[in-house]
Amino acid sequence: MNKSWSELNRKMQIQLKKEATFADGIETLFELQKELMQAAYGFFRDFSREEFCAMPFINAEG
């Protein structure tokens, strides 16, 4: 996750904990989801299936 996603996640969690800001938390969740999906679709668009499947998992051993 990058800094922007981390900040949105933190903001969303705070908003969802309070009844007064719960609806705002849902909107922030949708904003975070939109950004994450754009990043994921970028991988699918920019890499072939073989290249995508060859990517290692971060911090994976073996």
Side-chain angles (χ1 to χ4, degrees), residues 5-47:
W5 297 343
S6 181
E7 289 172 4
L8 275 176
N9 186 43
R10 190 175 319 115
K11 179 181 175 182
M12 175 201 60
Q13 289 182 21
I14 291 169
Q15 291 172 325
L16 291 176
K17 289 179 182 179
K18 298 177 184 175
E19 187 176 347
T21 58
F22 186 81
D24 294 330
I26 298 297
E27 290 300 317
T28 303
L29 173 62
F30 288 141
E31 182 180 343
L32 178 59
Q33 178 192 27
K34 179 182 172 185
E35 287 190 24
L36 292 172
M37 293 308 296
Q38 286 174 344
Y41 287 135
F43 283 118
F44 294 126
R45 181 189 64 238
D46 297 338
F47 296 101

